[in-house]
Amino acid sequence: MTDLPGTQSAARRGQIMEAHAQKRSEITDAAAIARVLTEALPYIRRFSGKTIVIKYGGNAMSEERLKGGFARDVVLMKLVGMNPVVVHGGGPQIGELLQRIGKESRFVEGMRVTDSETMDVVEMVLGGLVNKEIVNLINRHGGRAVGLSGKDGELIRARKLVFTRDNPELKVPEIIDIGHVGEVASIDTAVVDMLVHGDFIPVIAPIGVGEDGQSYNINADLVASKLAQILHAEKLIMLTNTPGVLDAKGNVMTGLSQSEVQRLIDEGVVRGGMLPKLRSALDAVNSGVHAAHIIDGQVEHAVLLEILTDHGVGTLIRAQRK
């Protein structure tokens, strides 16, 4: 039994209309991409040739979708003429390995107590496993990344962090020994400059070496801030697991001046894990970095959205004009 001619004609018209609808959808998608590229063009021109230091951490380092998005962002930045420099953390990965070998993690006011055995694990995880995973991730997405620790090329000179806290039983603050935890004494960017000018993307683990030859674990936020200052970076971008800096009501503050940041710190509005990030960002801006961004690393392509669009995904801290 065959279909009637009218039925065939109606079916054909339906197929043609469906094909036209699909074509219009494709054109609409292409137009949206064109608008994004048009919006990004002024930012690409503005930041071409500029150094942007990115502190990579949080969920962006653990979720596959976010990891791939971050790698593509960094590769695209390099392709359009920017100079991304990545500094990474790795606290959760260190904790996991310590647990696997049966060593307990101890913290004093948020800082990991790092004895010699723990420091060996820190170097293995940060300078080895995590660093090389990030390098491989960027390279698989078309970039040319090179992994470093602060010990390579004497990049980061460290000194032991002296940690004190008040003790009611003592007349002077109590000094607490938290082991191989350091702070930045100096940074020599020669090896980073060489890589950047060679069209590579440096990926840096926050491990420094002291004058005594000992290795020190340094907070990655602090390393990223100091590196941005020494490199005269255009921007410091810090990925977090929050939407940005929040006010007392939990709302994201999208733009802050240096004085406003200091007020938030002084009034205790910002506390917990956000406090060292905000202090590091403020230190960078006070020392010549044009802007610092604390952004939501749980948003795919957060770095590009913050740099190349009018709609950011976090908090921008600007240097005040003189």
Side-chain angles (χ1 to χ4, degrees):
M1 183 177 179
T2 59
D3 293 330
L4 297 174
T7 304
Q8 291 178 333
S9 178
R12 179 59 179 160
R13 284 197 300 271
Q15 292 173 352
I16 293 173
M17 291 177 65
E18 183 178 345
H20 283 322
Q22 182 176 351
K23 186 65 175 179
R24 282 194 296 271
S25 177
E26 292 173 356
I27 292 173
T28 300
D29 292 343
I33 293 171
R35 283 194 298 272
V36 170
L37 292 174
T38 302
E39 183 179 331
L41 186 57
Y43 295 103
I44 292 173
R45 286 174 174 163
R46 179 178 174 186
F47 300 133
S48 180
K50 301 298 177 69
T51 297
I52 298 177
V53 176
I54 306 168
K55 188 302 180 111
Y56 181 43
N59 284 358
M61 284 182 63
S62 58
E63 295 185 21
E64 290 301 322
R65 173 181 60 90
L66 299 176
K67 287 161 64 174
F70 173 79
R72 288 190 292 273
D73 288 359
V74 171
V75 171
L76 181 59
M77 288 170 65
K78 191 68 175 178
L79 288 174
V80 298
M82 301 178 205
N83 296 319
V85 177
V86 179
V87 178
H88 64 83
Q93 292 89 337
I94 293 170
E96 288 174 9
L97 186 52
L98 287 172
Q99 186 177 27
R100 281 166 52 189
I101 65 175
K103 188 170 182 64
E104 180 184 2
S105 292
R106 294 194 300 118
F107 294 87
V108 174
E109 296 195 12
M111 291 180 286
R112 187 186 300 277
V113 177
T114 308
D115 58 18
S116 295
E117 185 180 21
T118 301
M119 189 64 222
D120 289 341
V121 172
V122 169
E123 289 204 72
M124 184 189 308
V125 172
L126 292 184
L129 298 173
V130 173
N131 187 271
K132 301 317 172 193
E133 180 185 5
I134 298 168
V135 167
N136 185 48
L137 186 68
I138 293 172
N139 290 344
R140 283 196 294 113
H141 285 85
R144 296 203 303 165
V146 174
L148 302 167
S149 85
K151 299 173 76 172
D152 296 315
E154 296 190 327
L155 172 58
I156 303 174
R157 280 286 182 178
R159 56 175 169 260
K160 185 180 177 68
L161 179 66
V162 178
F163 177 71
T164 62
R165 65 181 177 188
D166 293 332
N167 187 331
E169 298 178 1
L170 301 175
K171 293 182 180 180
V172 294
E174 179 184 12
I175 298 176
I176 307 295
D177 186 359
I178 52 177
H180 293 257
V181 178
E183 57 186 351
V184 176
S186 64
I187 290 180
D188 183 346
T189 61
V191 66
V192 175
D193 292 334
M194 179 184 68
L195 291 173
V196 168
H197 292 140
D199 209 28
F200 292 95
I201 300 170
V203 179
I204 301 166
I207 299 168
V209 62
E211 290 186 356
D212 55 2
Q214 295 289 326
S215 298
Y216 290 94
N217 182 20
I218 308 174
N219 180 280
D221 296 330
L222 179 61
V223 170
S225 174
K226 295 296 184 184
L227 189 61
Q229 296 168 42
I230 300 299
L231 288 172
H232 304 290
E234 178 75 16
K235 291 178 178 292
L236 167 65
I237 298 177
M238 309 174 85
L239 277 71
T240 70
N241 287 341
T242 66
V245 179
L246 307 180
D247 64 17
K249 296 181 181 179
N251 300 314
V252 179
M253 291 177 282
T254 55
L256 293 171
S257 67
Q258 292 157 282
S259 58
E260 288 171 331
V261 171
Q262 191 60 58
R263 177 181 58 79
L264 291 171
I265 294 173
D266 294 341
E267 294 178 357
V269 174
V270 177
R271 50 189 177 272
M274 181 57 72
L275 190 55
K277 295 182 186 301
L278 195 55
R279 282 178 172 156
S280 294
L282 181 61
D283 187 33
V285 171
N286 284 339
S287 300
V289 177
H290 290 180
H293 306 247
I294 299 177
I295 67 173
D296 190 352
Q298 299 175 101
V299 175
E300 192 171 7
H301 297 295
V303 175
L304 284 189
L305 289 171
E306 186 68 17
I307 296 176
L308 298 183
T309 73
D310 298 330
H311 308 286
V313 288
T315 300
L316 167 64
I317 302 166
R318 285 195 182 93
Q320 291 173 323
R321 294 180 180 176
K322 297 181 180 179

